Amino acid sequence: MADGDQVSSPARAPAIILVAPQMGENIGAAARAMANFRLTDLRLVAPRDGWPSKKAKAAASGATGIIDEVRVFETTEQAIADLNFVYATTARIRDLPKPVVGPREAATDLRARGGKGQATGILFGRERWGLTNEEVALADVILTYPVNPKFASLNIAQAVLLIAYEWMASGLDGALPTRTALPELDHSPASKEHLIGLMQHMEKALDPTGYFRTPDMRPTMVQNLRAILQRAGFSRDEIDALHGVIGAFERLQGKPGGESSGG
Amino acid sequence: MADGDQVSSPARAPAIILVAPQMGENIGAAARAMANFRLTDLRLVAPRDGWPSKKAKAAASGATGIIDEVRVFETTEQAIADLNFVYATTARIRDLPKPVVGPREAATDLRARGGKGQATGILFGRERWGLTNEEVALADVILTYPVNPKFASLNIAQAVLLIAYEWMASGLDGALPTRTALPELDHSPASKEHLIGLMQHMEKALDPTGYFRTPDMRPTMVQNLRAILQRAGFSRDEIDALHGVIGAFERLQGKPGGESSGG
């Protein structure tokens, strides 16, 4: 693990290489997935419907910088000619004498290599049958995804999205956007049904007190109260006890003198 | 951190809840993303074009088991009623007093909670403008994605894909490297002085209601209430708000008819 990789260190990002993509929509969706996670270098090998592609541009949905900079090659060998280290994505592990890793390890390795100035890339196969064995043989490492063996149907754009996401995450060095600690695990919060029931009970009990000054103010005040009850993460037992408290206040309402015999 | 979570331990998987989804294609694509990574419980709140949806089924592309089992609800409250712990996905961090985490931490937490038998779920908003503040307020934690701020355009199915992927990865137990460092708690509980002030205020307000049935029972009941308020870890602001709630009940006590002009 490269602990020293900071988001500030400008590791060279991997190229995404789509081999013989068939549908422009998928090329555009891949570009869009890349843009979300700071990848920019998109290369195509012999796109079926030629290039440029209106469908690709439409599907890129704003990631036009990437689409405009696409480079098209006739062969996979040409597309990776300037790269130092190449991954090949495959849906199933093949009988090839190569290392096989998942996207997280791949991203960590790609970032470490990029930090050393290596030019890297990832090959993705055509929609229907992926990469040929000859194309996989051009790569240094096989990248595969930990999908459900009973339902493995990632499309190209999804496969690009996942490795792009891991690429960006690998550069955050523990700094995924996090504001606060999560609530304690061992304290088991009640179901939302019970929590909402408590909220509603409190609001109903407060209505006759004038707590909600005006009908206009009520929604905001309700939301503030709900935020407090939500944040507290009450258990079922705690909620039952709090119903009792509110019920006690309710029963007294309207009783002259404020002295109650209870019950 | 629960190092003992093995892929073999059948942690209860989170439900995916799409709030007011507009396009059947997106529902189907979300189902397909789920199936790739072993999620099965898909819930819809008020889908715009009704349910069932031919477009959803077509886009699910084989994930028909999930589509057939979809449950549809009228409100988000109903959709999460049976859940113990809920995440809300948002594109930007809002000014709400909730923890905010990325998908990796969320998946780790969801798996740990699932292993303890907690029912969990993740809310995703409608295509154009996401979740409303009221919907986010129903959740315990905000989930956000570390996307490129200059190009953030994950669609619903992609957002579902990423958390589903992290869910599956979190069950692989070290086959993929995971981050474990938890961030500092920055929800700051009030000082004990303020907490005790709240306890005393509540007890004083409850005395005339008869909540404490007999003088003998009062000490135990006080202790139970104090345990609840203590455990909740209220902040100073939350305590001030709760004083207001108790004060509203107090003011109404003894007013004939229970109707108050407020103030």
Side-chain angles (χ1 to χ4, degrees):
Chain A
M1 294 297 301
D3 277 334
D5 284 324
Q6 303 287 334
V7 73
S8 55
S9 75
R12 185 168 172 170
I16 299 295
I17 304 142
L18 308 185
V19 177
Q22 293 164 305
M23 297 172 66
E25 292 87 340
N26 290 332
I27 300 169
R32 186 177 154 191
M34 291 170 65
N36 271 293
F37 297 111
R38 299 182 190 270
L39 295 182
T40 57
D41 183 355
L42 178 58
R43 305 176 182 196
L44 307 179
V45 176
R48 184 188 65 184
D49 298 337
W51 194 260
S53 156
K54 279 185 191 166
K55 286 182 179 171
K57 198 149 191 169
S61 174
T64 45
I66 292 175
I67 291 292
D68 290 344
E69 301 278 310
V70 159
R71 278 179 286 171
V72 181
F73 300 87
E74 285 181 26
T75 68
T76 306
E77 286 87 342
Q78 288 167 3
I80 64 173
D82 63 319
L83 304 181
N84 300 105
F85 201 85
V86 174
Y87 281 75
T89 53
T90 69
R92 59 215 142 69
I93 295 173
R94 307 187 196 194
D95 189 19
L96 288 168
K98 292 190 190 292
V100 179
V101 302
R104 192 157 304 166
E105 282 168 287
T108 303
D109 178 62
L110 286 164
R111 185 166 291 276
R113 291 180 186 280
K116 291 172 189 285
Q118 292 186 24
T120 62
I122 311 166
L123 295 169
F124 294 85
R126 45 193 77 62
E127 282 89 341
R128 290 201 184 271
W129 68 93
L131 296 168
T132 64
N133 277 353
E134 290 69 28
E135 287 157 353
V136 175
L138 292 168
D140 298 282
V141 179
I142 290 174
L143 165 62
T144 197
Y145 293 77
V147 292
N148 181 356
K150 292 181 188 157
F151 188 88
S153 84
L154 288 181
N155 66 28
I156 294 176
Q158 289 172 322
V160 170
L161 182 78
L162 290 175
I163 191 66
Y165 162 76
E166 285 286 8
W167 162 259
M168 185 143 166
S170 73
L172 295 176
D173 195 31
L176 284 169
T178 299
R179 198 159 61 192
T180 60
L182 294 169
E184 297 260 335
L185 254 178
D186 285 327
H187 173 80
S188 187
S191 71
K192 297 306 176 194
E193 180 176 21
H194 292 116
L195 176 61
I196 292 168
L198 178 70
M199 292 166 169
Q200 290 170 338
H201 187 187
M202 178 178 281
E203 291 147 20
K204 179 168 158 286
L206 281 170
D207 269 327
T209 71
Y211 177 80
F212 304 117
R213 310 284 172 86
T214 66
D216 279 359
M217 291 170 74
R218 192 177 189 279
T220 305
M221 294 181 80
V222 162
Q223 200 175 326
N224 290 340
L225 283 181
R226 288 190 168 208
I228 293 171
L229 298 179
Q230 172 81 50
R231 213 272 316 135
F234 292 122
S235 69
R236 181 70 200 276
D237 286 347
E238 291 174 336
I239 282 178
D240 286 347
L242 293 171
H243 275 298
V245 168
I246 298 167
F249 286 125
E250 278 183 312
R251 277 191 302 278
L252 196 66
Q253 285 174 15
K255 293 193 181 176
E259 293 298 327
S260 167
S261 59
Chain B
M1 294 307 301
D3 277 337
D5 284 323
Q6 303 285 337
V7 74
S8 54
S9 74
R12 186 166 173 171
I16 298 296
I17 304 141
L18 308 184
V19 178
Q22 294 165 303
M23 296 172 66
E25 291 86 340
N26 289 332
I27 300 169
R32 187 177 153 188
M34 290 170 66
N36 270 293
F37 297 111
R38 297 181 190 272
L39 296 181
T40 57
D41 184 354
L42 178 59
R43 306 176 181 196
L44 307 178
V45 177
R48 185 190 63 184
D49 297 337
W51 193 259
S53 158
K54 279 184 193 168
K55 286 181 179 172
K57 198 148 191 171
S61 174
T64 46
I66 293 175
I67 292 292
D68 290 343
E69 301 279 309
V70 158
R71 279 179 286 172
V72 180
F73 300 86
E74 283 180 25
T75 67
T76 305
E77 285 88 342
Q78 288 166 3
I80 65 173
D82 63 319
L83 304 181
N84 300 102
F85 202 85
V86 174
Y87 280 75
T89 52
T90 70
R92 60 216 142 68
I93 295 174
R94 308 186 194 197
D95 189 21
L96 288 168
K98 294 197 189 288
V100 179
V101 302
R104 191 156 307 165
E105 277 173 293
T108 303
D109 180 61
L110 287 163
R111 184 166 292 275
R113 291 182 186 278
K116 288 171 187 286
Q118 292 187 25
T120 61
I122 310 164
L123 295 169
F124 294 84
R126 43 192 79 61
E127 281 88 340
R128 288 198 184 275
W129 68 93
L131 296 167
T132 65
N133 277 351
E134 289 71 24
E135 288 157 355
V136 174
L138 292 168
D140 299 281
V141 179
I142 290 174
L143 165 61
T144 195
Y145 293 78
V147 291
N148 180 358
K150 290 181 189 158
F151 188 87
S153 82
L154 287 182
N155 67 28
I156 294 175
Q158 289 172 322
V160 170
L161 181 79
L162 289 175
I163 191 67
Y165 162 75
E166 285 284 9
W167 162 260
M168 185 143 166
S170 73
L172 297 177
D173 192 35
L176 296 170
T178 44
R179 300 173 204 281
T180 54
L182 275 175
E184 288 292 303
L185 185 69
D186 80 14
H187 172 80
S188 190
S191 70
K192 297 307 174 196
E193 179 180 17
H194 292 116
L195 177 62
I196 292 167
L198 178 70
M199 292 166 169
Q200 291 170 337
H201 187 186
M202 179 178 278
E203 292 147 19
K204 178 168 159 285
L206 280 170
D207 270 329
T209 71
Y211 177 81
F212 305 116
R213 311 283 173 85
T214 66
D216 279 0
M217 291 170 74
R218 192 178 189 280
T220 305
M221 294 180 79
V222 162
Q223 203 176 321
N224 290 341
L225 282 181
R226 288 191 169 207
I228 292 171
L229 298 179
Q230 174 78 50
R231 211 274 316 139
F234 291 122
S235 69
R236 182 70 201 275
D237 286 346
E238 290 174 337
I239 283 179
D240 286 347
L242 293 171
H243 277 298
V245 169
I246 298 167
F249 286 125
E250 280 182 309
R251 276 192 302 279
L252 196 65
Q253 285 174 14
K255 293 192 182 176
E259 293 297 327
S260 168
S261 59

